[in-house]
Amino acid sequence: MPVLETLHAEVEAIEDSVFSKPAEQVDVERLYMIRRDLLRIRNAVAPLVEVCRRLEHAEVMPIAPAMQPLFRDVTDHVRRVQEEIDALREVVAFAFEASLMRGQAQQTAITRRLAAWAAILAVPTAIAGIYGMNFEFMPELKWSYGYFLVIGVIVAICGTLYWRFRRNGWV
């Protein structure tokens, strides 16, 4: 039980840190190590349940009848330890999944921001690409305000995209 209490305190600290700060590789590695340690403890405790149960109902072995209730208590303690181990393993699994989901959420936010900026920059790139083909019939060649109109359209479209992405929290 003291080992489990120590692990429980460490799991709670890591679980709190998963939600309070950005996920770090150390926390993920430590969660994995704790889960592995819990599996080792569980493998050591699991056979004790059967041993204690046999000693509790020992008709074959010469055990004093006054000792049998004590073995029943030991069996209850071992089962409680086993349940605590299973509960801790589940908490560790949930903390591990939560840290992975936080990392994915951060990546999604970054990807969304990059996509928004790419969309904004695609507008002037496309218009400049069309005008860079050196057509004979372009508005600014025959009309003195054509160049300013194209620049104004680019600024308006980019400004509208920026405003919409900013309003949606993408930029």
Side-chain angles (χ1 to χ4, degrees), residues 116-154:
W117 281 110
I120 291 170
L121 293 175
V123 172
T125 303
I127 294 174
I130 290 171
Y131 277 93
M133 291 185 208
N134 297 324
F135 289 120
E136 185 178 336
F137 303 105
M138 290 190 288
E140 68 262 10
L141 294 178
K142 306 281 192 235
W143 187 41
S144 60
Y145 298 110
Y147 181 75
F148 298 110
L149 176 70
V150 170
I151 296 295
V153 168
I154 290 174

Short mmCIF file of all heavy atoms in Angstrom, two decimals, residues 116-154:
data_model
loop_
_atom_site.label_atom_id
_atom_site.label_comp_id
_atom_site.label_asym_id
_atom_site.label_seq_id
_atom_site.Cartn_x
_atom_site.Cartn_y
_atom_site.Cartn_z
N ALA A 116 -5.18 29.28 -42.83
CA ALA A 116 -5.77 30.61 -42.99
C ALA A 116 -4.79 31.55 -43.68
O ALA A 116 -5.16 32.27 -44.62
CB ALA A 116 -6.19 31.16 -41.64
N TRP A 117 -3.55 31.56 -43.23
CA TRP A 117 -2.56 32.43 -43.86
C TRP A 117 -2.28 32.01 -45.30
O TRP A 117 -2.08 32.86 -46.18
CB TRP A 117 -1.27 32.47 -43.05
CG TRP A 117 -1.39 33.37 -41.86
CD1 TRP A 117 -1.44 33.01 -40.55
CD2 TRP A 117 -1.50 34.79 -41.87
NE1 TRP A 117 -1.58 34.11 -39.75
CE2 TRP A 117 -1.61 35.22 -40.54
CE3 TRP A 117 -1.53 35.76 -42.88
CZ2 TRP A 117 -1.74 36.56 -40.19
CZ3 TRP A 117 -1.66 37.10 -42.53
CH2 TRP A 117 -1.77 37.48 -41.19
N ALA A 118 -2.29 30.70 -45.56
CA ALA A 118 -2.09 30.24 -46.94
C ALA A 118 -3.23 30.70 -47.83
O ALA A 118 -3.01 31.09 -48.99
CB ALA A 118 -1.97 28.72 -46.96
N ALA A 119 -4.46 30.68 -47.33
CA ALA A 119 -5.60 31.14 -48.11
C ALA A 119 -5.50 32.64 -48.38
O ALA A 119 -5.81 33.10 -49.49
CB ALA A 119 -6.90 30.83 -47.38
N ILE A 120 -5.08 33.40 -47.39
CA ILE A 120 -4.93 34.84 -47.58
C ILE A 120 -3.85 35.14 -48.62
O ILE A 120 -4.02 35.98 -49.50
CB ILE A 120 -4.62 35.53 -46.23
CG1 ILE A 120 -5.84 35.47 -45.32
CG2 ILE A 120 -4.18 36.98 -46.44
CD1 ILE A 120 -5.58 35.90 -43.90
N LEU A 121 -2.74 34.43 -48.54
CA LEU A 121 -1.64 34.67 -49.47
C LEU A 121 -1.91 34.08 -50.86
O LEU A 121 -1.24 34.46 -51.82
CB LEU A 121 -0.34 34.10 -48.90
CG LEU A 121 0.19 34.81 -47.66
CD1 LEU A 121 1.41 34.09 -47.11
CD2 LEU A 121 0.53 36.26 -47.97
N ALA A 122 -2.85 33.18 -50.98
CA ALA A 122 -3.16 32.59 -52.29
C ALA A 122 -3.81 33.60 -53.22
O ALA A 122 -3.62 33.52 -54.44
CB ALA A 122 -4.06 31.37 -52.10
N VAL A 123 -4.56 34.54 -52.67
CA VAL A 123 -5.26 35.53 -53.50
C VAL A 123 -4.27 36.40 -54.28
O VAL A 123 -4.33 36.45 -55.52
CB VAL A 123 -6.23 36.38 -52.65
CG1 VAL A 123 -6.81 37.52 -53.47
CG2 VAL A 123 -7.31 35.51 -52.08
N PRO A 124 -3.32 37.09 -53.62
CA PRO A 124 -2.40 37.91 -54.42
C PRO A 124 -1.50 37.06 -55.31
O PRO A 124 -1.12 37.49 -56.41
CB PRO A 124 -1.59 38.68 -53.38
CG PRO A 124 -1.82 38.02 -52.09
CD PRO A 124 -3.11 37.28 -52.20
N THR A 125 -1.21 35.85 -54.87
CA THR A 125 -0.37 34.98 -55.69
C THR A 125 -1.09 34.61 -56.98
O THR A 125 -0.50 34.62 -58.07
CB THR A 125 -0.01 33.69 -54.90
OG1 THR A 125 0.65 34.07 -53.70
CG2 THR A 125 0.88 32.78 -55.71
N ALA A 126 -2.37 34.26 -56.88
CA ALA A 126 -3.14 33.89 -58.07
C ALA A 126 -3.30 35.08 -59.02
O ALA A 126 -3.11 34.95 -60.24
CB ALA A 126 -4.51 33.37 -57.66
N ILE A 127 -3.62 36.24 -58.48
CA ILE A 127 -3.80 37.42 -59.33
C ILE A 127 -2.47 37.83 -59.97
O ILE A 127 -2.41 38.14 -61.17
CB ILE A 127 -4.44 38.57 -58.53
CG1 ILE A 127 -5.87 38.17 -58.15
CG2 ILE A 127 -4.45 39.87 -59.34
CD1 ILE A 127 -6.56 39.15 -57.23
N ALA A 128 -1.41 37.82 -59.21
CA ALA A 128 -0.10 38.15 -59.77
C ALA A 128 0.32 37.13 -60.81
O ALA A 128 0.96 37.47 -61.82
CB ALA A 128 0.93 38.24 -58.66
N GLY A 129 -0.04 35.86 -60.59
CA GLY A 129 0.28 34.84 -61.58
C GLY A 129 -0.44 35.05 -62.89
O GLY A 129 0.12 34.87 -63.97
N ILE A 130 -1.70 35.48 -62.81
CA ILE A 130 -2.46 35.74 -64.04
C ILE A 130 -1.89 36.96 -64.76
O ILE A 130 -1.68 36.93 -65.98
CB ILE A 130 -3.95 35.96 -63.71
CG1 ILE A 130 -4.57 34.62 -63.27
CG2 ILE A 130 -4.70 36.53 -64.91
CD1 ILE A 130 -5.96 34.74 -62.72
N TYR A 131 -1.59 38.00 -64.03
CA TYR A 131 -1.05 39.20 -64.66
C TYR A 131 0.41 39.04 -65.07
O TYR A 131 0.91 39.78 -65.88
CB TYR A 131 -1.21 40.41 -63.74
CG TYR A 131 -2.57 41.01 -63.84
CD1 TYR A 131 -3.58 40.63 -62.98
CD2 TYR A 131 -2.85 41.94 -64.83
CE1 TYR A 131 -4.84 41.17 -63.10
CE2 TYR A 131 -4.11 42.48 -64.96
CZ TYR A 131 -5.11 42.09 -64.08
OH TYR A 131 -6.36 42.61 -64.21
N GLY A 132 1.06 38.05 -64.54
CA GLY A 132 2.44 37.81 -64.93
C GLY A 132 2.57 37.08 -66.25
O GLY A 132 3.67 36.87 -66.75
N MET A 133 1.44 36.70 -66.87
CA MET A 133 1.47 35.98 -68.13
C MET A 133 1.62 36.92 -69.33
O MET A 133 1.67 36.46 -70.46
CB MET A 133 0.19 35.14 -68.29
CG MET A 133 0.12 34.00 -67.34
SD MET A 133 -1.34 33.06 -67.76
CE MET A 133 -1.72 32.37 -66.19
N ASN A 134 1.63 38.22 -69.07
CA ASN A 134 1.85 39.23 -70.10
C ASN A 134 0.83 39.14 -71.23
O ASN A 134 1.16 39.05 -72.40
CB ASN A 134 3.27 39.14 -70.68
CG ASN A 134 4.30 39.43 -69.62
OD1 ASN A 134 4.08 40.26 -68.76
ND2 ASN A 134 5.42 38.74 -69.69
N PHE A 135 -0.46 39.18 -70.87
CA PHE A 135 -1.52 39.24 -71.88
C PHE A 135 -1.51 40.61 -72.56
O PHE A 135 -1.03 41.60 -72.00
CB PHE A 135 -2.89 38.99 -71.25
CG PHE A 135 -3.11 37.58 -70.81
CD1 PHE A 135 -3.36 37.27 -69.48
CD2 PHE A 135 -3.05 36.55 -71.73
CE1 PHE A 135 -3.58 35.97 -69.08
CE2 PHE A 135 -3.26 35.24 -71.33
CZ PHE A 135 -3.53 34.95 -70.00
N GLU A 136 -2.10 40.65 -73.69
CA GLU A 136 -2.18 41.91 -74.42
C GLU A 136 -3.31 42.80 -73.88
O GLU A 136 -3.20 44.00 -73.85
CB GLU A 136 -2.41 41.63 -75.91
CG GLU A 136 -2.40 42.87 -76.76
CD GLU A 136 -2.60 42.53 -78.23
OE1 GLU A 136 -2.29 41.39 -78.62
OE2 GLU A 136 -3.08 43.39 -78.95
N PHE A 137 -4.39 42.13 -73.39
CA PHE A 137 -5.55 42.90 -72.94
C PHE A 137 -5.65 42.85 -71.41
O PHE A 137 -6.33 42.01 -70.85
CB PHE A 137 -6.83 42.33 -73.56
CG PHE A 137 -6.79 42.30 -75.05
CD1 PHE A 137 -6.61 41.10 -75.72
CD2 PHE A 137 -6.90 43.47 -75.78
CE1 PHE A 137 -6.56 41.07 -77.10
CE2 PHE A 137 -6.86 43.44 -77.17
CZ PHE A 137 -6.67 42.23 -77.83
N MET A 138 -4.95 43.75 -70.75
CA MET A 138 -5.02 43.86 -69.29
C MET A 138 -5.56 45.24 -68.94
O MET A 138 -5.25 46.21 -69.64
CB MET A 138 -3.63 43.67 -68.67
CG MET A 138 -3.13 42.23 -68.79
SD MET A 138 -1.66 41.91 -67.83
CE MET A 138 -0.42 42.78 -68.72
N PRO A 139 -6.36 45.33 -67.88
CA PRO A 139 -7.00 46.62 -67.57
C PRO A 139 -6.03 47.77 -67.38
O PRO A 139 -6.31 48.89 -67.80
CB PRO A 139 -7.76 46.34 -66.27
CG PRO A 139 -7.94 44.88 -66.24
CD PRO A 139 -6.79 44.29 -66.99
N GLU A 140 -4.89 47.53 -66.79
CA GLU A 140 -4.02 48.66 -66.51
C GLU A 140 -3.27 49.16 -67.73
O GLU A 140 -2.66 50.22 -67.71
CB GLU A 140 -3.03 48.33 -65.38
CG GLU A 140 -2.00 47.31 -65.72
CD GLU A 140 -2.36 45.93 -65.23
OE1 GLU A 140 -3.48 45.71 -64.78
OE2 GLU A 140 -1.50 45.07 -65.29
N LEU A 141 -3.30 48.42 -68.83
CA LEU A 141 -2.63 48.90 -70.03
C LEU A 141 -3.43 49.99 -70.74
O LEU A 141 -2.86 50.95 -71.27
CB LEU A 141 -2.38 47.74 -71.00
CG LEU A 141 -1.40 46.67 -70.51
CD1 LEU A 141 -1.28 45.56 -71.55
CD2 LEU A 141 -0.04 47.26 -70.23
N LYS A 142 -4.74 49.85 -70.77
CA LYS A 142 -5.58 50.81 -71.48
C LYS A 142 -6.24 51.81 -70.55
O LYS A 142 -6.72 52.85 -70.99
CB LYS A 142 -6.69 50.05 -72.23
CG LYS A 142 -6.20 48.98 -73.13
CD LYS A 142 -5.69 49.54 -74.43
CE LYS A 142 -5.48 48.40 -75.41
NZ LYS A 142 -4.27 48.24 -75.99
N TRP A 143 -6.30 51.49 -69.27
CA TRP A 143 -7.00 52.34 -68.31
C TRP A 143 -6.00 52.76 -67.24
O TRP A 143 -5.32 51.91 -66.65
CB TRP A 143 -8.17 51.54 -67.73
CG TRP A 143 -9.11 52.30 -66.84
CD1 TRP A 143 -9.57 53.55 -67.01
CD2 TRP A 143 -9.70 51.81 -65.64
NE1 TRP A 143 -10.42 53.91 -66.01
CE2 TRP A 143 -10.53 52.83 -65.15
CE3 TRP A 143 -9.65 50.63 -64.95
CZ2 TRP A 143 -11.26 52.71 -63.99
CZ3 TRP A 143 -10.38 50.52 -63.81
CH2 TRP A 143 -11.18 51.54 -63.33
N SER A 144 -5.92 54.02 -66.95
CA SER A 144 -4.88 54.51 -66.04
C SER A 144 -5.09 54.07 -64.59
O SER A 144 -4.13 54.02 -63.81
CB SER A 144 -4.78 56.03 -66.11
OG SER A 144 -6.02 56.61 -65.75
N TYR A 145 -6.33 53.73 -64.23
CA TYR A 145 -6.60 53.31 -62.85
C TYR A 145 -6.71 51.79 -62.71
O TYR A 145 -7.05 51.28 -61.66
CB TYR A 145 -7.89 53.96 -62.34
CG TYR A 145 -7.80 55.46 -62.30
CD1 TYR A 145 -8.54 56.23 -63.18
CD2 TYR A 145 -6.98 56.08 -61.38
CE1 TYR A 145 -8.46 57.59 -63.16
CE2 TYR A 145 -6.89 57.46 -61.35
CZ TYR A 145 -7.63 58.22 -62.25
OH TYR A 145 -7.55 59.57 -62.22
N GLY A 146 -6.45 51.05 -63.75
CA GLY A 146 -6.57 49.60 -63.73
C GLY A 146 -5.65 48.94 -62.72
O GLY A 146 -6.04 48.01 -62.00
N TYR A 147 -4.42 49.43 -62.64
CA TYR A 147 -3.45 48.86 -61.70
C TYR A 147 -3.92 49.06 -60.26
O TYR A 147 -3.89 48.14 -59.45
CB TYR A 147 -2.08 49.51 -61.93
CG TYR A 147 -1.01 48.98 -61.01
CD1 TYR A 147 -0.45 47.72 -61.22
CD2 TYR A 147 -0.55 49.73 -59.93
CE1 TYR A 147 0.54 47.23 -60.38
CE2 TYR A 147 0.43 49.25 -59.09
CZ TYR A 147 0.97 48.01 -59.32
OH TYR A 147 1.94 47.52 -58.49
N PHE A 148 -4.42 50.24 -59.96
CA PHE A 148 -4.92 50.54 -58.61
C PHE A 148 -6.17 49.73 -58.28
O PHE A 148 -6.38 49.33 -57.14
CB PHE A 148 -5.18 52.04 -58.45
CG PHE A 148 -3.94 52.86 -58.62
CD1 PHE A 148 -3.78 53.66 -59.75
CD2 PHE A 148 -2.92 52.81 -57.68
CE1 PHE A 148 -2.62 54.41 -59.91
CE2 PHE A 148 -1.77 53.56 -57.85
CZ PHE A 148 -1.61 54.36 -58.97
N LEU A 149 -6.98 49.48 -59.31
CA LEU A 149 -8.17 48.66 -59.11
C LEU A 149 -7.78 47.23 -58.74
O LEU A 149 -8.35 46.65 -57.81
CB LEU A 149 -9.05 48.66 -60.37
CG LEU A 149 -10.27 47.74 -60.29
CD1 LEU A 149 -11.28 48.31 -59.30
CD2 LEU A 149 -10.88 47.54 -61.65
N VAL A 150 -6.81 46.67 -59.44
CA VAL A 150 -6.36 45.31 -59.14
C VAL A 150 -5.76 45.24 -57.74
O VAL A 150 -6.06 44.32 -56.96
CB VAL A 150 -5.35 44.82 -60.21
CG1 VAL A 150 -4.69 43.52 -59.79
CG2 VAL A 150 -6.03 44.66 -61.55
N ILE A 151 -4.95 46.21 -57.38
CA ILE A 151 -4.37 46.25 -56.03
C ILE A 151 -5.48 46.40 -55.00
O ILE A 151 -5.46 45.74 -53.94
CB ILE A 151 -3.34 47.40 -55.90
CG1 ILE A 151 -2.14 47.16 -56.82
CG2 ILE A 151 -2.88 47.56 -54.46
CD1 ILE A 151 -1.31 45.94 -56.47
N GLY A 152 -6.45 47.24 -55.28
CA GLY A 152 -7.58 47.42 -54.36
C GLY A 152 -8.38 46.14 -54.19
O GLY A 152 -8.80 45.79 -53.07
N VAL A 153 -8.61 45.41 -55.29
CA VAL A 153 -9.32 44.13 -55.20
C VAL A 153 -8.53 43.13 -54.36
O VAL A 153 -9.10 42.42 -53.52
CB VAL A 153 -9.62 43.57 -56.62
CG1 VAL A 153 -10.09 42.13 -56.56
CG2 VAL A 153 -10.65 44.44 -57.31
N ILE A 154 -7.24 43.07 -54.57
CA ILE A 154 -6.40 42.16 -53.79
C ILE A 154 -6.47 42.51 -52.31
O ILE A 154 -6.67 41.63 -51.46
CB ILE A 154 -4.93 42.20 -54.28
CG1 ILE A 154 -4.81 41.56 -55.66
CG2 ILE A 154 -4.00 41.51 -53.29
CD1 ILE A 154 -3.42 41.69 -56.27
#
